[in-house]
Amino acid sequence: MLVAPTPADLRRADELRGQRWNTNFQISSVALSELQTSDLDRYRAVPIDTPRFDDVDEAEAFLRPHDPVIALVVGQAARAYPLRFLVWHEVVNDIVAERPILVTYDPRTNATRVFDRRLLGAAMRFRNTGVVHLGGRLLWDSLTQSWWRQFTGESIIGDVTGLQLRPRPSLLVSFAEFGRAFPQGRILDPGSRPDGDDEPQYGTTNYPGYDKRSSPPPSFSGVVDPRLPPTARVLALEVNGHTLAFDFGHLAVQRVLNDQVGGRPVVIFWSQGALSVLDTPRIADSRDVGMAAAHGSEVDGRMLTFEFSAGAFRDRETGSVWSLSGRAMSGSLAGAQLPPLVHNTPFWWAWAAHNPKTRLVTNPT
């Protein structure tokens, strides 16, 4: 729904035009007066437009086993995008298996989102606006100059307001987990740094101590849902219009949860072994915050139920052993892959702000 501009919105539009934006600010689904420059930005993230990749063995030269990576599978191609790079760049415009893909990470919300960047018959190229709304980063496309939420993939300002990028399933896992599940996968190379961009110090974070905050960033002016601490990590997903969030603290105890979302059976796996990139200045010294993944529970029309037994994820029907990434590593189902689900592992405050009626699965009080 479009928003009628107020005098404050018109003044904000004039300010933005003065910054040489060519966006059509007359079309918007949010109040322009609510837009803010992030109070946490210390480095203007420069997107990666010409990514280069290494194989798993080569990537061991610059990644540690517990380094978190965004894992993406398109067709037969598996790729990993380390957060040690994306905490500085935030956006990768890539082509995977001949499909234009947008890979994003927003340190403010801890949201990792992957989208198909084809729209209006063209492959859109995305950039950072340097502006946030609801505490999260807004992106802009170079074709229409419209502004988009990184958190949802929805255009909220400009000529294509209301259009939505198609999300793609992805995982946030450790480099070691990616290598086990996808030994033929490819990993983003540090040489992908844009020409002239010599500022990032890979292996460090530009947001030290951020995930230890007791409140959202000051750029978020909404109401904080009190059901969890604001910077608690959750595994969050939406299926058939139903939203659900699993508290990492609860998952760390259970390790496996079988549930239903929107009438669809799903399984959630949790494992330790992935570092925060928002903790200590040097990522290698940061604490292990774990990793979680959501999958459909069916394989070839057969419903499975899962448990954590003898140190591994197993299905009760066949006893096959599964990776956190949803691939059967041994047993009668070896080689099978659980259906991927679009999910995310953001901070609680950000997920609840966008989904105030979300169901929450956490420890009983």
Side-chain angles (χ1 to χ4, degrees):
M1 180 181 296
L2 299 182
V3 172
T6 66
D9 295 331
L10 296 176
R11 289 193 296 270
R12 187 69 168 118
D14 287 340
E15 291 174 4
L16 293 168
R17 292 190 190 97
Q19 298 170 14
R20 299 185 178 180
W21 284 103
N22 294 322
T23 303
N24 183 357
F25 293 109
Q26 293 180 325
I27 302 176
S28 175
S29 61
V30 301
L32 299 183
S33 57
E34 296 175 354
L35 304 179
Q36 298 186 41
T37 301
S38 175
D39 54 290
L40 295 170
D41 283 336
R42 295 172 178 81
Y43 172 76
R44 176 109 182 184
V46 179
I48 293 174
D49 290 331
T50 54
R52 295 186 287 177
F53 294 87
D54 297 310
D55 62 30
V56 172
D57 290 340
E58 292 171 327
E60 291 177 351
F62 56 85
L63 289 180
R64 297 176 180 238
H66 289 182
D67 267 324
V69 303
I70 300 173
L72 170 69
V73 177
V74 180
Q76 299 301 310
R79 290 193 179 175
Y81 304 82
L83 290 198
R84 66 163 47 213
F85 305 148
L86 281 177
V87 75
W88 291 97
H89 294 285
E90 300 188 14
V91 170
V92 180
N93 292 290
D94 200 359
I95 297 177
V96 185
E98 301 183 352
R99 300 178 189 177
I101 298 295
L102 172 64
V103 180
T104 70
Y105 173 59
D106 184 355
R108 302 150 201 80
T109 63
N110 201 50
T112 55
R113 300 304 314 270
V114 176
F115 302 99
D116 187 319
R117 57 186 177 91
R118 290 174 294 185
L119 195 71
L120 305 175
M124 317 282 272
R125 191 172 295 276
F126 287 84
R127 299 282 187 270
N128 292 290
T129 62
V131 175
V132 297
H133 185 257
L134 289 181
R137 173 68 83 193
L138 298 184
L139 308 176
W140 63 278
D141 72 82
S142 57
L143 180 64
T144 73
Q145 296 269 312
S146 297
W147 291 15
W148 305 72
R149 289 194 197 281
Q150 182 270 349
F151 202 88
T152 64
E154 178 189 6
S155 178
I156 60 172
I157 300 171
D159 289 332
V160 296
T161 293
L163 295 188
Q164 182 93 32
L165 297 174
R166 184 166 69 89
R168 296 197 64 95
S170 63
L171 303 166
L172 182 59
V173 298
S174 68
F175 170 52
E177 170 65 25
F178 177 82
R180 283 193 296 269
F182 309 105
Q184 304 305 313
R186 305 281 286 170
I187 297 90
L188 185 70
D189 185 278
S192 301
R193 174 183 295 176
D195 292 341
D197 183 28
D198 58 0
E199 180 73 17
Q201 299 296 313
Y202 296 146
T204 67
T205 182
N206 47 350
Y207 294 91
Y210 179 69
D211 63 359
K212 294 178 179 176
R213 296 170 61 104
S214 60
S215 62
S219 56
F220 175 69
S221 58
V223 177
V224 178
D225 189 312
R227 287 181 285 172
L228 285 179
T231 54
R233 286 172 168 82
V234 295
L235 183 144
L237 69 162
E238 178 180 356
V239 178
N240 297 330
H242 295 263
T243 59
L244 182 58
F246 295 85
D247 174 19
F248 261 45
H250 184 55
L251 292 175
V253 175
Q254 300 296 323
R255 302 297 298 268
V256 175
L257 284 178
N258 298 282
D259 208 323
Q260 283 202 4
V261 185
R264 179 173 184 178
V266 303
V267 61
I268 311 299
F269 295 149
W270 185 94
S271 175
Q272 60 187 8
L275 300 179
S276 169
V277 296
L278 306 172
D279 185 15
T280 61
R282 185 171 174 264
I283 293 172
D285 298 330
S286 296
R287 72 190 190 283
D288 186 336
V289 294
M291 49 187 165
H295 309 281
S297 299
E298 68 277 7
V299 172
D300 295 329
R302 183 181 187 180
M303 299 304 305
L304 301 175
T305 52
F306 295 85
E307 62 186 1
F308 188 76
S309 174
F313 304 118
R314 301 175 186 271
D315 69 78
R316 293 169 183 161
E317 287 73 16
T318 74
S320 299
V321 174
W322 298 78
S323 72
L324 182 134
S325 302
R327 178 162 295 188
M329 308 303 290
S330 64
S332 61
L333 294 179
Q337 178 70 50
L338 294 175
L341 295 176
V342 174
H343 65 276
N344 190 13
T345 55
F347 292 132
W348 168 245
W349 71 264
W351 176 254
H354 288 89
N355 303 276
K357 296 183 179 179
T358 190
R359 175 182 155 211
L360 173 65
V361 178
T362 187
N363 293 311
T365 55

